Amino acid sequence: MKKYFIQNAPFIVPTTDGKLIEEHHGLASTKNPQISIAHMIAPPKWSEPYQTPEFDEYTYIIKGKKQFIIDDEIVILETGQSIKIDKNTRVQYSNPFDEECEYIAICQPAFDFTKVHRED
């Protein structure tokens, strides 16, 4: 039995906002509740509602910039930077810039729609 798994077919999360989400490991792709790893591309002018997730989230910016509003503080990450946001922190993610933002997001435990707590 192999002690590794190569992901060649990530789960493409359906979206309506133009954002590409490819979950390589996690609940939707590999049924792993402990961690999720996703490759994402946020189009220019994209944003999500505020949320207060029940998981830690790590983000690494591959290309472009991404804006975070964390407890009312604006933080902008650029190519090559990363951030860890602790679980139960109110945060809003966006790309208010003119170029797309490509990044990797890691959630621990795994991203779960029932535990993200997005605001209306």
Side-chain angles (χ1 to χ4, degrees), residues 10-23 28 46 48 111 113 118:
F11 177 77
I12 307 299
V13 178
T15 65
T16 58
D17 59 4
K19 182 179 177 186
L20 172 67
I21 305 172
E22 299 173 317
E23 185 185 270
W46 164 86
E48 285 184 338
F111 180 91
F113 282 108
R118 288 198 173 124

Side-chain angles (χ1 to χ4, degrees), residues 1-11 23-26 29-30 37:
M1 178 178 200
K2 291 184 182 180
K3 295 186 179 185
Y4 64 90
F5 169 72
I6 297 173
Q7 177 61 279
N8 291 313
F11 177 77
E23 185 185 270
H24 284 259
H25 298 277
S29 57
T30 57
I37 301 173

Side-chain angles (χ1 to χ4, degrees), residues 76-119:
I76 297 172
L77 258 61
E78 299 185 15
T79 301
Q81 293 183 310
S82 64
I83 191 170
K84 177 197 177 211
I85 300 173
D86 293 336
K87 64 183 174 181
N88 302 316
T89 299
R90 186 172 185 257
V91 60
Q92 194 255 348
Y93 302 105
S94 67
N95 177 12
F97 309 105
D98 292 328
E99 65 178 90
E100 70 182 20
C101 178
E102 182 176 7
Y103 61 100
I104 299 292
I106 299 170
C107 299
Q108 192 173 27
F111 180 91
D112 182 335
F113 282 108
T114 67
K115 296 180 179 177
V116 72
H117 306 296
R118 288 198 173 124
E119 298 175 15

Side-chain angles (χ1 to χ4, degrees), residues 44-89:
K45 310 304 180 194
W46 164 86
S47 69
E48 285 184 338
Y50 279 91
Q51 54 194 296
T52 307
E54 293 180 38
F55 44 80
D56 293 334
E57 185 158 358
Y58 302 80
T59 301
Y60 172 74
I61 307 299
I62 297 169
K63 183 177 87 173
K65 295 188 283 188
K66 185 176 178 186
Q67 178 175 288
F68 305 76
I69 302 177
I70 306 166
D71 291 333
D72 298 322
E73 179 183 350
I74 295 175
V75 176
I76 297 172
L77 258 61
E78 299 185 15
T79 301
Q81 293 183 310
S82 64
I83 191 170
K84 177 197 177 211
I85 300 173
D86 293 336
K87 64 183 174 181
N88 302 316
T89 299

